[in-house]
Amino acid sequence: MSRLRFGVFLAPFHPAGQNPTLAMQRDLRLMEHLDHIGFDEAWIGEHHSAGSEIIASPEIFIAAAAERTRNIRFGTGVTSVSYHNPLWVADRMVMLDHLTRGRSMLGVGPGSLPTDSAMIGLNPTDTRELLDINFDIIMRLLAGETVTEQTPTHKLIDARLQLRPYTEPRFDVAVAAVASPTGPRLAGRHGAGLLSIGATLTQEGFDALAHHWSVVEERASHFGQPAPDRSGWRLVGLMHIAETREQAYKDVEYGIEQWFTYFQKVAAFPQMAVDGSNIREMIDFINEAGIGAIGTPEDARAQVQRLADQSGGFGAMLLLAHEWANPEATKRSYELIAQDVLPHFQGPGISHHESTVRAKQHARDTRSDHAQQQLAAVEHMTEKYAKEVAES
């Protein structure tokens, strides 16, 4: 595997009833923390209902986060393009690309919450049909075309972008996928990356991983696109890590039940069919179903490797951000992942982990000889000094 990037996918998931202002500030501080410890990417969601996923405009959040950070790249995860005029989606992203000096990425999808689309008179079938139409228009605009189109929701007449992207030829674009081939089909057709949001969230999503990429490759070939690069494939998964499994289990008592309840009883998103009626059952579901890792860095490494083996290789591991643990334990989880997981999957040629372990082993293997040489050098210089004193 080439250098694996690491990042987060921030919906976010905040308990309804909390102070939303403080929750958003907590999200921004998390972006600063991830930037500081070396995470590569953060993808920010768009939602408008249900009271927990409270970021309505990922572009606005990204603009604020970019001013607080230096290196981490930000993607819309995802922009629900079915809800919007595709011209304005493209135009806002080009502006954001300039504001962030090339640290912005566009993720697209149909919108995951039916309670969002219902407020504008669309059902889930409508949004999936509109995704295909609107995404095609967005990609044509980003390529510099002038577009005249009548969509089911908008009319464009000689529409064009007044600015070219800051990034040449354009910023990264990725399409969301859960279990169906819709996302991979669009990614292959348009030469875009793939955001496998369902990569580990369900057994079906995990099982479909290799199939998803074969769809991307087949559609790319069909539409005359270059062979897709697996570095543009991002898998989304669940983790909470601590120094011991016992500590990790204790940490998630803080908020994992609220997260499960949201998907079991609030969000009409059956693709996230999580199971468990008490905290221990919830922990066991994450670990035993293989959809994530609650435990130690060793458990996290095993989960990443499992995904690599199942998929055949991918470009970025995105951790689905949550508040299973309190803010300090959550930050510590990311620190442990940066410290003890990233080095196993990053580095030129060999991983950073392997490089330092090899160096340590070489030093161990040659220690005796080098120690003798050190002692001999001290003895030599001692004798030399004694001789100089005797001759003076």
Side-chain angles (χ1 to χ4, degrees):
M1 181 188 295
S2 59
R3 181 189 185 276
L4 186 66
R5 304 185 307 281
F6 281 79
V8 297
F9 196 93
L10 179 77
F13 300 108
H14 295 303
Q18 283 192 354
N19 186 324
T21 308
L22 296 182
M24 292 182 193
Q25 291 299 314
R26 193 161 63 247
D27 292 334
L28 287 169
R29 287 195 298 273
L30 176 60
M31 298 301 104
E32 294 180 79
H33 182 63
L34 295 174
D35 183 55
H36 178 70
I37 62 177
F39 272 61
D40 299 284
E41 303 177 358
W43 294 76
I44 314 303
E46 174 194 348
H47 303 89
H48 305 276
S49 59
S52 290
E53 302 170 82
I54 58 174
I55 293 177
S57 170
E59 300 94 337
I60 292 175
F61 182 91
I62 288 170
E67 290 297 307
R68 299 169 179 235
T69 55
R70 297 178 59 188
N71 300 307
I72 192 168
R73 301 173 70 215
F74 294 101
T76 63
V78 295
T79 298
S80 302
V81 298
S82 305
Y83 304 166
H84 306 291
N85 186 322
L87 172 61
W88 302 149
V89 172
D91 206 28
R92 286 194 297 265
M93 283 305 303
V94 169
M95 177 184 172
L96 192 60
D97 191 34
H98 283 271
L99 287 175
T100 62
R101 300 292 182 95
R103 286 197 285 144
S104 295
M105 302 171 286
L106 172 64
V108 303
S112 60
L113 291 179
T115 42
D116 287 355
S117 56
M119 293 190 291
I120 54 173
L122 299 174
N123 62 46
T125 301
D126 297 330
T127 59
R128 278 150 183 79
E129 294 289 348
L130 281 166
L131 170 63
D132 199 337
I133 296 167
N134 287 355
F135 186 47
D136 180 70
I137 293 171
I138 290 167
M139 294 302 282
R140 290 164 60 193
L141 290 166
L142 292 176
E145 292 186 29
T146 298
V147 178
T148 296
E149 288 281 354
Q150 175 69 62
T151 79
T153 55
H154 293 91
K155 184 175 184 178
L156 278 69
I157 304 172
D158 293 333
R160 73 200 75 183
L161 297 177
Q162 64 176 343
L163 297 177
R164 298 302 308 139
Y166 177 89
T167 304
E168 294 292 343
R170 60 161 170 76
F171 40 81
D172 281 355
V173 178
V175 187
V178 179
S180 81
T182 301
R185 181 177 62 84
L186 289 177
R189 176 183 174 186
H190 293 284
L194 187 66
L195 275 167
S196 290
I197 299 174
T200 68
L201 304 186
T202 65
Q203 186 61 48
E204 292 78 11
F206 178 80
D207 291 342
L209 278 178
H211 173 62
H212 274 183
W213 194 251
S214 70
V215 172
V216 175
E217 292 176 326
E218 186 275 326
R219 288 290 87 186
S221 175
H222 178 81
F223 286 100
Q225 293 284 357
D229 188 340
R230 286 177 178 266
S231 67
W233 190 10
R234 297 165 172 90
L235 306 188
V236 180
L238 290 159
M239 290 185 188
H240 177 77
I241 303 304
E243 281 80 358
T244 66
R245 287 182 184 175
E246 292 75 16
Q247 185 60 53
Y249 293 178
K250 183 175 177 59
D251 287 347
V252 302
E253 292 178 2
Y254 174 87
I256 195 171
E257 190 169 12
Q258 179 274 140
W259 187 89
F260 267 72
T261 300
Y262 177 68
F263 286 107
Q264 290 172 338
K265 299 181 179 180
V266 180
F269 190 42
Q271 294 90 336
M272 284 285 291
V274 295
D275 189 27
S277 59
N278 59 60
I279 291 174
R280 189 52 194 249
E281 287 181 1
M282 294 169 183
I283 293 172
D284 290 343
F285 174 77
I286 296 295
N287 285 337
E288 294 175 8
I291 67 171
I294 299 175
T296 65
E298 290 78 10
D299 298 317
R301 293 197 297 267
Q303 178 67 358
V304 176
Q305 189 60 56
R306 179 170 174 266
L307 287 168
D309 295 340
Q310 173 70 8
S311 66
F314 57 99
M317 180 77 229
L318 304 181
L319 307 179
L320 186 65
H322 49 69
E323 294 188 316
W324 290 351
N326 67 47
E328 289 307 309
T330 298
K331 288 173 63 176
R332 181 58 179 157
S333 175
Y334 287 121
E335 288 171 355
L336 288 170
I337 291 168
Q339 176 178 288
D340 295 325
V341 179
L342 271 64
H344 287 257
F345 300 96
Q346 295 183 335
I350 63 172
S351 71
H352 293 305
H353 164 79
E354 188 176 359
S355 178
T356 54
V357 168
R358 284 185 184 182
K360 177 183 176 181
Q361 188 60 48
H362 178 72
R364 182 192 299 271
D365 293 341
T366 59
R367 181 180 185 276
S368 180
D369 288 343
H370 286 305
Q372 288 300 320
Q373 293 176 25
Q374 288 275 32
L375 292 174
V378 172
E379 184 177 355
H380 169 74
M381 295 307 295
T382 301
E383 290 175 354
K384 182 176 180 180
Y385 171 69
K387 185 177 180 180
E388 289 175 351
V389 171
E391 292 175 350
S392 61

